[in-house]
Amino acid sequence: MSKVKIVIGDRLGKGQNIAKGIEAAGGTAIVIPGVGADMKVGDVMVSESADLGLSFCGSGGAGALTAKTKYGFPVEYGLRSVDAGITALRSGKKVIGFGFMDTEELGRRMVEEYIKLGGK
């Protein structure tokens, strides 16, 4: 059984806490380094054959919409809570855009829900 692979792209170059939560739950986190990383989520998902992408910026939409436009990933964006992210995951979204929210809880719960849904 392979691990859930999740790409994290944050406009301000953060995402390390989310990565800790992903790793703690048994997933693999790929944090895109640098400012503007949210705009590269779709590119890195394709190059790394990732299962999910999490994008973070002020509005919570730019990186997710870029991934949809370039690669056709189903997206949800503008989210502000972990529970909203779980709902998006349950509805089959592959790239989920949030406002800034670098928390371990988000990473951990996304992996747990993905596994529960039978993704890995």
Side-chain angles (χ1 to χ4, degrees):
M1 180 184 245
S2 62
K3 291 182 172 185
V4 180
K5 189 184 291 185
I6 301 176
V7 173
I8 301 164
D10 185 289
R11 178 68 55 99
L12 300 177
K14 296 182 177 182
Q16 293 79 14
N17 289 323
I18 299 163
K20 288 179 190 173
I22 291 170
E23 301 283 345
T28 300
I30 300 168
V31 180
I32 304 169
V35 174
D38 61 316
M39 302 305 286
K40 303 172 188 168
V41 167
D43 297 336
V44 176
M45 284 180 68
V46 169
S47 69
E48 296 287 336
S49 299
D51 300 297
L52 295 172
L54 301 177
S55 172
F56 301 88
C57 69
S59 66
L65 289 173
T66 300
K68 178 180 181 177
T69 301
K70 284 183 84 173
Y71 300 104
F73 289 118
V75 302
E76 186 73 45
Y77 55 91
L79 306 182
R80 303 283 180 198
S81 72
V82 175
D83 289 334
I86 297 297
T87 300
L89 189 59
R90 287 178 182 158
S91 66
K93 306 307 182 198
K94 295 296 240 179
V95 182
I96 303 173
F98 295 91
F100 294 116
M101 199 164 68
D102 188 14
T103 66
E104 289 186 38
E105 179 192 6
L106 175 61
R108 178 183 50 78
R109 288 190 56 199
M110 294 301 281
V111 170
E112 291 171 351
E113 188 66 23
Y114 192 85
I115 292 170
K116 188 190 310 182
L117 292 170
K120 290 281 178 175

